[in-house]
Amino acid sequence: MGPVIRPQRLRQSAAIRRLVAQTRLHPAELVLPVFVREGASEPLAISAMPGVVQHTVESLVAEAITAADAGIGGIMLFGVPSTKDAVGSGADDPDGILNVALRAVADAVGDRLVVMADLCLDEFTDHGHCGVLDDAGRVDNDATLERYAAMGLAQARAGAQVLGLSGMMDGQVAYVRAALDAEGFTDTVILAYSAKYTSGLYGPFREAVQSSLEGDRATYQQDPANATESLRELELDIAEGADIVMVKPAMPHLDIVAAAAELSPVPVAAYQISGEYSMIEAASAQGWIERDRAIMESLLNIRRAGAQIILTYYALEAAALL
């Protein structure tokens, strides 16, 4: 006699597989990260990220309208300034590229798409670190918090609905929350990069933002060897008032995504970062993997691990495939 219990019964057709699927993706769960470059007269290709560009303000607005029409959940803006300095002055300058772009995008789609801003100094500092440096060349955590507060207020005034605190400074959520509330921005959402690991997969992003970084960020980003401290960081961010918490990179740390989803009382996001994107692009260009299938499988796995929100450069493509 053959087996009585046959799990394959629930896999025998596309219709049955669809019926019993435990995890589903929806465009509204996807957020598109985008880059806007000061002084650009046309969109500029990023060689390490085929298909991704540094936008002009005008092309960025057009992309935001496309994203709203596609029904994705949000758009996260990163600025690429033409000049940098030690304290990242362009970050909180109302006429700085990121704040100019935020105003333009918020005016165009702010009632149809969640407009998010990266809140970090690394794109704006001439040394490339996520904060200001002390006399010994180390990142000064507490001095950096003051710069983050100024940057957060500038972004909120420009129309950002969500601030993505990505610098991994201790106390950043509480400090920025207090600054926002004191100025009446009590509705501005804080998305905390609670578990941001130092990683070898950030290289393409550094090209995208023309990073000036020398060395690494291991003294403030998390060690990939560790898991417990990520949950501690997550609990601290929630206690400080984070509205959403995030894990980055996504695929190498799906165990942390799952642990965060089990622990967190607020939504959990995950960022499929530039290196994850570029690996799929490179392998598919060689014919080694099926591109569309790999894209959707990677996103489904992040969702299955527990992320309710996924930042991905594939957001528009995935929405169309869905």
Side-chain angles (χ1 to χ4, degrees):
M1 294 180 61
V4 174
I5 298 174
R6 295 180 182 268
Q8 291 181 21
R9 293 190 190 106
L10 299 182
R11 306 173 197 150
Q12 62 184 286
S13 70
I16 290 179
R17 291 193 297 273
R18 185 175 64 246
L19 176 69
V20 300
Q22 290 179 277
T23 306
R24 305 182 196 277
L25 280 171
H26 190 280
E29 299 165 343
L30 307 177
V31 173
L32 178 68
V34 290
F35 307 98
V36 57
R37 179 170 175 171
E38 187 172 14
S41 57
E42 60 182 3
L44 301 171
I46 300 167
S47 64
M49 301 178 71
V52 180
V53 302
Q54 295 172 329
H55 283 282
T56 67
V57 173
E58 293 74 20
S59 69
L60 176 59
V61 169
E63 186 84 331
I65 292 170
T66 298
D69 292 342
I72 70 169
I75 188 168
M76 172 73 81
L77 276 62
F78 295 83
V80 186
S82 57
T83 60
K84 306 178 183 183
D85 61 25
V87 297
S89 299
D92 58 329
D93 182 351
D95 295 322
I97 182 60
L98 181 53
N99 295 318
V100 168
L102 282 168
R103 283 195 296 272
V105 171
D107 288 346
V109 297
D111 57 346
R112 298 199 296 139
L113 186 68
V114 179
V115 178
M116 307 181 177
D118 176 61
L119 198 163
C120 194
L121 291 175
D122 59 321
E123 297 107 294
F124 299 93
T125 54
D126 53 13
H127 47 74
H129 277 287
C130 297
V132 296
L133 305 183
D134 62 19
D135 293 339
R138 301 167 299 191
V139 172
D140 186 329
N141 187 96
D142 295 2
T144 298
L145 296 181
E146 296 182 21
R147 296 293 299 127
Y148 284 2
M151 189 176 184
L153 288 171
Q155 292 176 344
R157 291 178 183 126
Q161 299 157 318
V162 176
L163 307 184
L165 276 60
S166 62
M168 289 299 294
M169 295 298 117
D170 291 343
Q172 63 183 11
V173 172
Y175 206 94
V176 173
R177 180 77 272 161
L180 291 170
D181 291 353
E183 293 294 322
F185 293 104
T186 55
D187 290 337
T188 302
V189 175
I190 288 181
L191 185 162
Y193 287 53
S194 298
K196 184 178 182 181
Y197 283 94
T198 184
S199 172
L201 298 176
Y202 294 132
F205 177 89
R206 291 176 184 165
E207 178 193 339
V209 298
Q210 298 181 305
S211 173
S212 306
L213 180 68
E214 294 182 6
D216 61 40
R217 300 181 175 124
T219 59
Y220 47 98
Q221 293 180 354
Q222 290 178 6
D223 185 344
N226 296 337
T228 304
E229 68 177 354
S230 296
L231 302 183
R232 183 186 184 202
E233 293 269 15
L234 181 137
E235 289 176 325
L236 286 169
D237 285 347
I238 293 169
E240 290 178 17
D243 302 290
I244 305 170
V245 292
M246 186 155 75
V247 177
K248 177 183 182 181
M251 287 293 286
H253 304 291
L254 290 181
D255 60 326
I256 306 302
V257 175
E262 183 173 353
L263 172 69
S264 176
V266 303
V268 173
Y271 196 150
Q272 185 184 50
I273 68 168
S274 60
E276 298 174 71
Y277 174 92
S278 296
M279 287 192 293
I280 291 174
E281 291 300 302
S284 61
Q286 293 293 323
W288 296 335
I289 62 174
E290 299 176 47
R291 183 177 180 276
D292 288 357
R293 186 173 177 182
I295 290 169
M296 300 310 291
E297 182 178 343
S298 68
L299 296 175
L300 188 68
N301 290 347
I302 296 168
R303 182 72 184 87
R304 191 185 69 201
Q308 296 164 256
I309 302 164
I310 304 173
L311 276 70
T312 174
Y313 301 97
Y314 289 121
L316 289 176
E317 278 194 76
L321 291 169
L322 289 169

